[in-house]
Amino acid sequence: MPRSRFITVFLILVFGVCVMLILWRTGRDHELQPQVKKQKTFVYPLKIKGLSYSTHDKGRLIARIEADELKVKKRKFWVFNVRPFNEAVLTNARLEFYLYDDMPSNDDMSSKVDLLSTARSILTLDEQGRTGTQGLGLITRGLIDGLEIRIYKADEPFLLLKADKARIDFKRKKINMKGVSVEDFFTGKLIKTRTAVWDNEAKILRIPGTYTAEKPEGTTVGKTMEMDFGFSGIK
């Protein structure tokens, strides 16, 4: 092989090796670079932090609701998001109802404490769950993470209901609660149970399972009970 041809072949081989090294190095550097995962961003039709809503009558406070956050999101059925069904989610909701001596005496306390009407007022919902706010779709249920309901008589605290979790079924007009306690400040009675259901039509809190009743004279354990917000039904 002539010397010039040998040098040409040698230079081609060296050039090829250099190109391969450059390509290998480039691929290696790309592999070593941290892979940044794209985070999914959720767009909520409605999201409010620091919610505060109240109603008044004749200059007096009748009801007030506060929450750390309110948001409306698409409701999941198993693993699917189904349009146009949405759900409202409240975090650390605190409701207050004020009862006065000059209110109509023929109405019992539970009829004056309408939890579903209060929830509908916030979201401007009708009986079918349709909202007057554009873009919110059909809200079929409400989820509450941390619920506290206080009832006052003439500005004095009368009753306190707490629940770790609550699910509002607007269609069936029921509220399913978990981790529930109900306390009567006047008598010192305290009821604790794992689950309870508020029937908004009957205005009754139903305890389907076992519960403990703490009273000044001692603690008893019972099974199944119905009570209203006047605390009648407690034995």
Side-chain angles (χ1 to χ4, degrees):
M1 176 184 295
R3 184 179 180 85
S4 59
R5 183 176 294 178
F6 175 79
I7 294 173
T8 302
V9 173
F10 177 76
L11 292 175
I12 291 173
L13 290 173
V14 171
F15 178 75
V17 170
C18 291
V19 171
M20 291 178 64
L21 287 173
I22 292 171
L23 292 174
W24 177 82
R25 183 64 182 176
T26 302
R28 182 68 175 169
D29 291 342
H30 179 72
E31 290 179 0
L32 292 176
Q33 289 179 356
Q35 300 296 319
V36 179
K37 293 183 179 180
K38 292 184 178 180
Q39 295 183 348
K40 292 183 179 180
T41 56
F42 297 94
V43 178
Y44 299 104
L46 176 67
K47 187 174 182 180
I48 301 173
K49 286 187 176 292
L51 171 71
S52 182
Y53 175 90
S54 61
T55 59
H56 295 77
D57 181 49
K58 299 177 182 178
R60 298 181 304 188
L61 179 63
I62 301 298
R64 174 166 53 202
I65 179 171
E66 296 178 336
D68 291 352
E69 184 180 69
L70 164 66
K71 59 187 176 184
V72 174
K73 65 177 184 177
K74 291 181 177 62
R75 180 176 176 180
K76 276 193 173 183
F77 291 86
W78 294 285
V79 295
F80 303 102
N81 291 326
V82 181
R83 291 185 177 183
F85 301 114
N86 291 330
E87 60 188 11
V89 182
L90 282 166
T91 303
N92 294 328
R94 301 170 295 278
L95 285 77
E96 296 177 355
F97 295 93
Y98 292 82
L99 309 178
Y100 301 96
D101 294 335
D102 59 349
M103 284 183 168
S105 58
N106 57 343
D107 290 337
D108 59 25
M109 181 182 301
S110 295
S111 66
K112 300 169 187 173
V113 181
D114 194 330
L115 302 182
L116 260 68
S117 292
T118 303
R120 286 196 184 99
S121 298
I122 299 168
L123 299 166
T124 62
L125 299 179
D126 61 14
E127 292 291 331
Q128 286 72 41
R130 294 187 296 263
T131 176
T133 305
Q134 188 175 3
L136 293 188
L138 187 67
I139 298 178
T140 56
R141 72 174 181 181
L143 301 177
I144 303 176
D145 186 6
L147 173 63
E148 185 176 292
I149 301 173
R150 292 180 181 269
I151 300 176
Y152 293 82
K153 281 186 174 180
D155 295 327
E156 291 292 329
F158 166 70
L159 184 142
L160 171 62
L161 183 148
K162 289 184 177 181
D164 296 333
K165 303 280 185 181
R167 185 177 72 250
I168 305 173
D169 190 328
F170 290 108
K171 183 178 181 180
R172 295 181 175 86
K173 299 180 181 179
K174 297 181 186 298
I175 303 176
N176 297 279
M177 298 179 245
K178 292 183 178 180
V180 183
S181 68
V182 187
E183 183 177 1
D184 183 345
F185 293 117
F186 284 7
T187 62
K189 297 175 183 177
L190 175 64
I191 302 295
K192 293 182 180 179
T193 183
R194 293 180 61 186
T195 60
V197 181
W198 173 254
D199 188 328
N200 204 67
E201 285 193 321
K203 298 295 187 292
I204 287 176
L205 183 70
R206 292 190 171 95
I207 298 177
T210 58
Y211 65 88
T212 59
E214 300 177 11
K215 308 174 187 177
E217 58 269 23
T219 301
T220 58
V221 178
K223 189 174 183 180
T224 69
M225 181 177 64
E226 293 185 351
M227 56 176 286
D228 59 24
F229 278 146
F231 242 82
S232 60
I234 294 180
K235 299 177 180 179

